Amino acid sequence: MDAFNDSENITFIRWKVHNDWVTKIQYIHSVESIISSSNDESTALVIGCVSRTKNVKHRLKTLMGSTDSQNKFPTPASGSPPKRFQCDESVFKVYKGVKTFDYCKENNILVTGGLDRKIRLWNPYIPGWAVGTLPGHTSPIGFLGIVHQSTKILSVSLDSTIKVWDIEVHSCLLTIIPKVAQIRGEMEVCYFSPDLQSFYVAAESFALLRFQHKRNQIRDSGMSHNEPVFCCQYNKQFQQAVSCSEGSAIKVWNLKNGQLDMEVCKAHGETAVTCMTLDASGKRLITGGRDGSLKKWDSCTLGCMCTIKQATSAADEVLACTYADIYSNRYFVSVGWGSKINIFPELNDNIPEGSNFQPDWIESVEKGHRDDISCVASCPPHFLATGGFDGDVLIWNLVLGCLCCRLSAASRAAVKGGTEDLTINKIIFLLPRMERKKTTATLVASGPRGKKRERERAKGGYVTLWNIFGQGKLFASFSSSKEKTTISDMAVSDSYSLLCAGDQKGSLYIWNIAEYAAHGLEDKPPPLLQTWRAHDRSITSVALVSDYPLLLTSSLDCSVKLWSLEGEYVGMFGQKEPWNIEEKSSWKQFDPNISSVHDCGNFGQQSLQGNSFASDWKFKKTIQDTSTLKLARNDDISEEMKQSQKSRFQHRQACQSKPIQQYASRGMTTYHALPLCELANVSTVFHKPNIAAELKDPFHLEV
């Protein structure tokens, strides 16, 4: 190491990361980070940067220093290497440490295993909270591997027991006993070859296992995309649905029949299209990529008009974008990694790289988010709201470029201890309520549970309603998912009376928020109108179709689907058989691949029985708001019951007074003349048979 330090052609960096032996280390090129593990619980697994630090002071000091020290971290005289800055690494604390791990960028998942014999699944950006736990091994885990382009995990314990797990359902699919597979001794090293679909285990002997995967049966309806779909939008101007996928494909679908109209491949090169937004006219489409680029498209032809921001690196991934109106001027805003808010003017010409209207606010660095920004929303004339992975919602003034208020529903214990997911996935302004400044909730956010619910044992995502004026005030907070999972996306109707949400388990929820938190604080959740299972994987986007009472959803299961607001399945975009949106008979009614569940009894409040969003399903009429539905009075119900009983009594009297027709030939009544069988006209006089009198002696023979 001393020779490397003295060499001019070699650059190396030393860090003090773990407090125990390093059990495994791996460099992930896609995220430009190093992942290392140890048996120490406090530093069980660490994800850290390679060279450049995020510490602003240190970077300025490095730039002002000599060129010799720009690429090196000097070692102190004592010989102990320095530690990374806290902002340059993510530390995962695991009981009894981590002995092995694996990372998959496609599924955005990190798996760990160690001496406690449990497999833990993590979101790599949320170090304080494991997504799931897979118990089952009886000895320490020595190898973990995620099968490429699959949802399978391979695990091997030190006693050479091999297990295959499913990431989606968190269950064990296969267990290979060492004695059956003729594996002798303890496992030393393993390797899985995705090309050969073979698994190699080295113990006392060398073993080769070949997995024969059953080919996935192609559904008759086909799939919308070949890769997971990240978002979808409804274009009201052209009555089309727009979707984008991880394979950098943008597709435009005809809403009336579900068929493909246009498609653009490699829209952002080899990187995924992570977000999109449409302007008010529907003629312009803005997309953001995983490489940090922003592009502007013509919605009519899907031609790229300009590149707003050139691609940089994965460290600048765009997570959300939207249009913003500052009085008479229009801008579009993008957020993502790096805790920066980028604002670009609405121009027709190409915008050179770095020509941001106000790319970095001073208060955005000093008083802004403590983590990456996950979502953004705008409200005319000058408000902007951003939500991050730190669980905070920040309200900005676009004119002054300053922070108005900070909204945080997470408890201090949850923030410090990292006991739950704090990510804010969606923010929506309730525009009609903005005139009533301090008397109503004006913003809806999906995120962590509120401070008033610290003592609740139930975890999962919550929906919070805030008043953004003044210092901000929490008006309502309720559990957003029956299965206690995180809400991934939300949408509201044009009248702001319906709130639709989708969670990470593929379920959809529709609430009535017409008068919810409109006049003060709320302790109970709003009425839950409908809920059903729409996808078998996480829902990534939800959009209400304003022209029809329909709901548009996209998911990581590579599908884009259309539903009625009552949970009826219209179809999947791209299926072989087109549908007619105005003819309900052409709908599929239900998805055979999904077990739809319409159950609201044990979650929230009871669904409104008989409440139809569009009773006659004539789509030329707009959906009737649930807020205008009138409740029936007791007198009306009593009168209706009397009329029903009166009509039944009159019908019974008419049947009794009507003579029964008889047949002259047989003398049979109408009941005897039924065509089902032939009946004989028997006498109504019966006598009881005397068996003893009719019994004869069997030995008596008559000659």
Side-chain angles (χ1 to χ4, degrees), residues 372-391:
D372 298 331
I373 304 176
S374 57
C375 57
V376 62
S378 64
C379 176
H382 55 265
F383 285 116
L384 184 75
T386 57
F389 291 94
D390 52 5

Side-chain angles (χ1 to χ4, degrees), residues 471-659:
Q471 297 299 322
K473 186 176 181 181
L474 180 64
F475 267 53
S477 176
F478 61 93
S479 178
S480 54
S481 175
K482 178 182 179 180
E483 299 178 351
K484 307 303 178 184
T485 57
T486 304
I487 290 293
S488 54
D489 194 32
M490 297 189 303
V492 294
S493 59
D494 290 347
S495 59
Y496 294 88
S497 60
L498 300 179
L499 175 64
C500 304
D503 62 13
Q504 293 182 350
K505 287 194 175 181
S507 298
L508 284 171
Y509 306 88
I510 300 179
W511 292 280
N512 179 11
I513 61 169
E515 298 297 329
Y516 187 71
H519 306 286
L521 304 181
E522 297 282 354
D523 294 331
K524 297 181 180 180
L528 179 63
L529 304 182
Q530 291 288 345
T531 176
W532 69 91
R533 182 77 179 273
H535 295 269
D536 54 7
R537 293 188 64 184
S538 174
I539 295 177
T540 56
S541 187
V542 176
L544 278 163
V545 181
S546 56
D547 296 332
Y548 309 98
L550 299 174
L551 190 64
L552 184 68
T553 61
S554 63
S555 171
L556 295 179
D557 60 4
C558 309
S559 65
V560 182
K561 298 180 180 180
L562 192 64
W563 307 83
S564 72
L565 294 183
E566 293 181 337
E568 294 175 300
Y569 182 50
V570 179
M572 181 191 302
F573 287 93
Q575 65 184 24
K576 295 182 180 179
E577 298 178 359
W579 66 68
N580 188 345
I581 198 172
E582 297 183 357
E583 293 183 4
K584 196 175 179 180
S585 59
S586 65
W587 298 2
K588 288 186 175 296
Q589 303 298 328
F590 66 93
D591 190 353
N593 301 301
I594 299 296
S595 57
S596 298
V597 179
H598 297 71
D599 182 16
C600 309
N602 298 325
F603 173 64
Q605 296 184 5
Q606 292 285 343
S607 60
L608 302 181
Q609 300 293 336
N611 177 25
S612 176
F613 294 98
S615 58
D616 55 354
W617 288 98
K618 294 181 179 179
F619 290 99
K620 295 182 180 180
K621 299 181 180 180
T622 58
I623 180 173
Q624 189 178 26
D625 288 339
T626 58
S627 60
T628 59
L629 295 177
K630 297 182 179 179
L631 297 176
R633 296 179 300 176
N634 295 334
D635 297 340
D636 298 336
I637 298 175
S638 177
E639 183 65 26
E640 185 176 353
M641 293 178 64
K642 290 180 180 180
Q643 293 294 335
S644 177
Q645 294 176 359
K646 183 178 180 181
S647 60
R648 291 180 182 177
F649 179 76
Q650 293 177 353
H651 178 71
R652 189 183 301 111
Q653 291 291 337
C655 294
Q656 292 177 356
S657 60
K658 185 177 180 180

Side-chain angles (χ1 to χ4, degrees), residues 278-571:
L278 289 162
D279 63 351
S281 63
K283 298 180 180 179
R284 298 293 180 264
L285 175 68
I286 303 296
T287 59
R290 183 170 287 170
D291 57 356
S293 62
L294 286 169
K295 292 187 178 182
K296 185 177 181 179
W297 307 81
D298 186 358
S299 300
C300 299
T301 61
L302 271 189
C304 183
M305 302 181 63
C306 65
T307 300
I308 303 170
K309 184 175 181 292
Q310 299 291 339
T312 52
S313 63
D316 295 330
E317 178 179 345
V318 181
L319 297 179
C321 59
T322 186
Y323 271 89
D325 294 330
I326 306 178
Y327 294 102
S328 59
N329 300 321
R330 291 184 60 81
Y331 302 89
F332 36 84
V333 185
S334 68
V335 296
W337 290 4
S339 304
K340 293 182 179 179
I341 303 173
N342 298 321
I343 302 179
F344 304 91
E346 172 71 3
L347 298 176
N348 296 326
D349 300 330
N350 292 337
I351 303 175
E353 183 180 1
S355 60
N356 300 1
F357 166 68
Q358 201 173 8
D360 294 327
W361 292 334
I362 297 176
E363 295 194 6
S364 176
V365 178
E366 297 179 355
K367 301 181 181 180
H369 290 279
R370 297 181 293 267
D371 206 336
D372 298 331
I373 304 176
S374 57
C375 57
V376 62
S378 64
C379 176
H382 55 265
F383 285 116
L384 184 75
T386 57
F389 291 94
D390 52 5
D392 293 344
V393 177
L394 304 185
I395 308 298
W396 304 89
N397 189 318
L398 289 177
V399 176
L400 302 178
C402 64
L403 180 65
C404 297
C405 64
R406 179 188 296 271
L407 311 176
S408 179
S411 61
R412 295 182 179 179
V415 174
K416 293 182 179 180
T419 57
E420 60 180 275
D421 185 6
L422 303 178
T423 307
I424 305 294
N425 290 319
K426 187 67 174 182
I427 300 173
I428 301 175
F429 279 102
L430 302 178
L431 299 181
R433 303 186 182 185
M434 295 300 292
E435 297 179 356
R436 297 175 289 172
K437 292 187 176 181
K438 295 185 178 181
T439 60
T440 182
T442 55
L443 183 138
V444 183
S446 66
R449 49 183 174 171
K451 299 178 181 178
K452 296 182 179 180
R453 302 178 183 265
E454 291 181 25
R455 299 181 180 179
E456 293 184 2
R457 295 183 179 179
K459 294 185 178 181
Y462 276 75
V463 174
T464 55
L465 283 83
W466 299 86
N467 182 280
I468 66 171
F469 296 97
Q471 297 299 322
K473 186 176 181 181
L474 180 64
F475 267 53
S477 176
F478 61 93
S479 178
S480 54
S481 175
K482 178 182 179 180
E483 299 178 351
K484 307 303 178 184
T485 57
T486 304
I487 290 293
S488 54
D489 194 32
M490 297 189 303
V492 294
S493 59
D494 290 347
S495 59
Y496 294 88
S497 60
L498 300 179
L499 175 64
C500 304
D503 62 13
Q504 293 182 350
K505 287 194 175 181
S507 298
L508 284 171
Y509 306 88
I510 300 179
W511 292 280
N512 179 11
I513 61 169
E515 298 297 329
Y516 187 71
H519 306 286
L521 304 181
E522 297 282 354
D523 294 331
K524 297 181 180 180
L528 179 63
L529 304 182
Q530 291 288 345
T531 176
W532 69 91
R533 182 77 179 273
H535 295 269
D536 54 7
R537 293 188 64 184
S538 174
I539 295 177
T540 56
S541 187
V542 176
L544 278 163
V545 181
S546 56
D547 296 332
Y548 309 98
L550 299 174
L551 190 64
L552 184 68
T553 61
S554 63
S555 171
L556 295 179
D557 60 4
C558 309
S559 65
V560 182
K561 298 180 180 180
L562 192 64
W563 307 83
S564 72
L565 294 183
E566 293 181 337
E568 294 175 300
Y569 182 50
V570 179

Side-chain angles (χ1 to χ4, degrees), residues 163-294:
K163 288 181 177 290
V164 182
W165 309 82
D166 191 289
I167 299 176
E168 295 179 350
V169 298
H170 293 189
S171 62
C172 182
L173 304 178
L174 176 66
T175 300
I176 301 176
I177 303 174
K179 188 176 182 180
V180 176
Q182 298 182 357
I183 303 175
R184 295 183 297 273
E186 293 185 358
M187 182 273 300
E188 295 293 337
V189 65
C190 301
Y191 173 73
F192 176 75
S193 174
D195 298 330
L196 302 177
Q197 292 294 304
S198 301
F199 190 62
Y200 304 87
V201 181
E204 291 182 1
S205 60
F206 192 77
L208 170 62
L209 305 176
R210 291 184 178 179
F211 293 91
Q212 297 179 355
H213 296 277
K214 294 182 179 180
R215 295 185 178 181
N216 296 328
Q217 298 179 356
I218 301 176
R219 301 176 182 177
D220 297 336
S221 58
M223 300 301 291
S224 305
H225 287 263
N226 296 326
E227 304 85 9
V229 185
F230 283 161
C231 60
C232 65
Q233 294 284 340
Y234 172 64
N235 193 335
K236 184 178 180 180
Q237 177 70 21
F238 303 104
Q239 291 190 348
Q240 294 173 333
V242 186
S243 61
C244 62
S245 68
E246 189 179 14
S248 194
I250 303 175
K251 293 186 178 182
V252 179
W253 309 91
N254 191 328
L255 187 72
K256 294 184 177 181
N257 54 26
Q259 300 303 302
L260 183 65
D261 286 347
M262 294 178 289
E263 179 181 5
V264 173
C265 300
K266 306 298 180 183
H268 284 256
E270 299 296 332
T271 59
V273 183
T274 54
C275 59
M276 67 167 61
T277 184
L278 289 162
D279 63 351
S281 63
K283 298 180 180 179
R284 298 293 180 264
L285 175 68
I286 303 296
T287 59
R290 183 170 287 170
D291 57 356
S293 62
L294 286 169

Side-chain angles (χ1 to χ4, degrees), residues 53-104:
T53 177
K54 296 181 181 179
N55 190 285
V56 179
K57 294 182 180 180
H58 185 81
R59 292 180 64 179
L60 292 175
K61 186 184 297 184
T62 304
L63 293 174
M64 296 176 63
S66 60
T67 57
D68 297 336
S69 62
Q70 287 184 2
N71 297 326
K72 298 183 180 180
F73 280 74
T75 303
S78 60
S80 61
K83 292 185 177 181
R84 285 196 188 103
F85 295 101
Q86 190 175 3
C87 60
D88 294 338
E89 62 182 13
S90 299
V91 181
F92 295 74
K93 298 180 181 180
V94 183
Y95 177 65
K96 291 188 178 182
V98 173
K99 189 176 181 61
T100 181
F101 63 87
D102 197 12
Y103 170 75
C104 179

